[in-house]
C-alpha cells in the first residue's frame, strides 16, 4: 500500500496554489485524492493524485505543467484508475539530484518504486513530452509492469537534437529565466510557439493559464527542471538514456499509441510515422492542427483514441 502523508511537501506552497489546482481539476468535473509516497535512493517524496476506478493507468507529464495538466484528457476516459504523478521538483513533489546518474535507470526505478508503494502490479502508462521517455524506460527496464504505452506529443529522439529553449534554460541566462515567475502573456506566447495559438485565442486554455500562473508563482518547478536539464546535457546533445533511438524502439514489445498534433514543433508527422514503423506493435493517431499538448486542442478526439486503445 502507499506510504501516504496527506500534508507532506517540501516546497510548502501556499493555499493559493492548492486552490488554483483544485479549481483547475473541478473545471473538468474531477476531484482527485492525494498520496505522497517515498521513492528512490536516496529517497524523496513523490506526489500522486488519483482519479477514477478500474484498471490502473499511470500518467507522467512533460514540461507543460505538473501532473494536473492531463485533466482534460482524464475527463474523457472511462472506467480506469488514473494515477497522476508530479515529476520530482514539480507541483508538490520533492526535487532530486540527476547529476552523475544513469538517467534511464533512475527514472525507471522511480516509477517502479511508485507502483510498489501504490500497491499496483501492472499498469497502462501514459506520457507527455519528456514523460514519454519516462514511461518508455519503465517498460524497457520492467516489462512485466507495463501493459500498453500511450505517448502524447513529441519526445527526445536521437536525430532531433536539443530544442533551443532547452539549451537556453541550461545556459547561464537560464538562471535568470528560472527565477522569474512566468506571467500569463509569456505563457500565451509559449503556447502559441507549441502549436496552440488558435486554442488559446478561443479561450479553451484559460483555466490552464490560471492554474499555471499560480504554479509558476508559488513553486520552483523551472529551477528544478533546469537542474535536471543541466545534468542530462553535454556538448554532443542529450546524455545516454534521454533520447530514444530506432534500435530501442524495435526491441519494445508493448503495444504503443503515439498521438501527434500536426502543429507540434517537436519533430514532424514523417518522423513520428517512422517512429511507429520501428515498433512491432505501434499505432500513430494524428490530430489535425494540434500542438504539443494535443488533448487541449481536441479533447474529444484524443480521449476517444486513448479510450479505444486502452480497451482494445
Amino acid at each position: 500500500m502507499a506510504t501516504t502523508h496527506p500534508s507532506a511537501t517540501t516546497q510548502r506552497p501556499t493555499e493559493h496554489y492548492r486552490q488554483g489546482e483544485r479549481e483547475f481539476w473541478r473545471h473538468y468535473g474531477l476531484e482527485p485524492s492525494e498520496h505522497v509516497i517515498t521513492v528512490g535512493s536516496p529517497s524523496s517524496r513523490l506526489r500522486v493524485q488519483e482519479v477514477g476506478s478500474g484498471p490502473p493507468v499511470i500518467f507522467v507529464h512533460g514540461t507543460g505543467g505538473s501532473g494536473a495538466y492531463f485533466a482534460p484528457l482524464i475527463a474523457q476516459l472511462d472506467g480506469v484508475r488514473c494515477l497522476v504523478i508530479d515529476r520530482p521538483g514539480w507541483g508538490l513533489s520533492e526535487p532530486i539530484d540527476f547529476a552523475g546518474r544513469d538517467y534511464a535507470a533512475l527514472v525507471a526505478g522511480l516509477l517502479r518504486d511508485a507502483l510498489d508503494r501504490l500497491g499496483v502490479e501492472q499498469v497502462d502508462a501514459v506520457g507527455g513530452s519528456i514523460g514519454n521517455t519516462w514511461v518508455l524506460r519503465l517498460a524497457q527496464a520492467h516489462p512485466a509492469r507495463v501493459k500498453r504505452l500511450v505517448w502524447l506529443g513529441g519526445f527526445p529522439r536521437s536525430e532531433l537534437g536539443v530544442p533551443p529553449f532547452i539549451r537556453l534554460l541550461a545556459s547561464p541566462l537560464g538562471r535568470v529565466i528560472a527565477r522569474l515567475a512566468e506571467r500569463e502573456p509569456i505563457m500565451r506566447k509559449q503556447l502559441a510557439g507549441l502549436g496552440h495559438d488558435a486554442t488559446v485565442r478561443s479561450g479553451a486554455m484559460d483555466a490552464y493559464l490560471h492554474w499555471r500562473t499560480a504554479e509558476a508563482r508559488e513553486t520552483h518547478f523551472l529551477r528544478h527542471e533546469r537542474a535536471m536539464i543541466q545534468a542530462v546535457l553535454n556538448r554532443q546533445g542529450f546524455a545516454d538514456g534521454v533520447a530514444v533511438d530506432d534500435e530501442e524502439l524495435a526491441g519494445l514489445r508493448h503495444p504503443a499509441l503515439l498521438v501527434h498534433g500536426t502543429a507540434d514543433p517537436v519533430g514532424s508527422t514523417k518522423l513520428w510515422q517512422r517512429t511507429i514503423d520501428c515498433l512491432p506493435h505501434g499505432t500513430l493517431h494524428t490530430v489535425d492542427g494540434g500542438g504539443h499538448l494535443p488533448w487541449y486542442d481536441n479533447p474529444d478526439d484524443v480521449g476517444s483514441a486513448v479510450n479505444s486503445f486502452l480497451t482494445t
Side-chain angles (χ1 to χ4, degrees), residues 142-194:
H142 308 286
R145 306 299 295 268
V146 177
K147 290 191 293 183
R148 289 164 290 216
L149 293 164
V150 177
W151 297 323
L152 303 171
F155 58 97
R157 289 282 274 121
S158 300
E159 60 264 61
L160 277 180
V162 180
F165 176 74
I166 299 299
R167 282 284 190 195
L168 180 62
L169 190 59
S171 73
L173 183 58
R175 182 188 299 273
V176 178
I177 296 172
R179 290 184 179 276
L180 294 175
E182 293 186 72
R183 303 292 191 268
E184 186 171 315
I186 297 174
M187 290 186 190
R188 287 179 177 272
K189 290 181 180 179
Q190 290 173 337
L191 288 169
L194 290 172

Side-chain angles (χ1 to χ4, degrees), residues 3-4 8 57 70 75 82 88 97 104 122 128 137 168-170 173 179 187 190 194 199 201 223 247-248 274 293 312:
T3 303
T4 305
V57 183
F70 287 112
C82 300
D97 185 3
Q122 190 180 54
R137 297 308 182 198
L168 180 62
L169 190 59
L173 183 58
R179 290 184 179 276
M187 290 186 190
Q190 290 173 337
L194 290 172
T199 305
R201 289 178 182 274
R223 298 184 199 179
E247 184 178 354
E248 291 177 310
R274 192 170 69 76
L293 314 176
T312 301

Side-chain angles (χ1 to χ4, degrees), residues 124-136:
D124 293 314
V126 179
S129 192
I130 189 67
N132 294 331
T133 299
W134 283 54
V135 297
L136 185 151

Side-chain angles (χ1 to χ4, degrees), residues 19 52 62 71 96 169 203 207 237 283:
Q19 181 61 30
I96 64 172
L169 190 59
T283 302

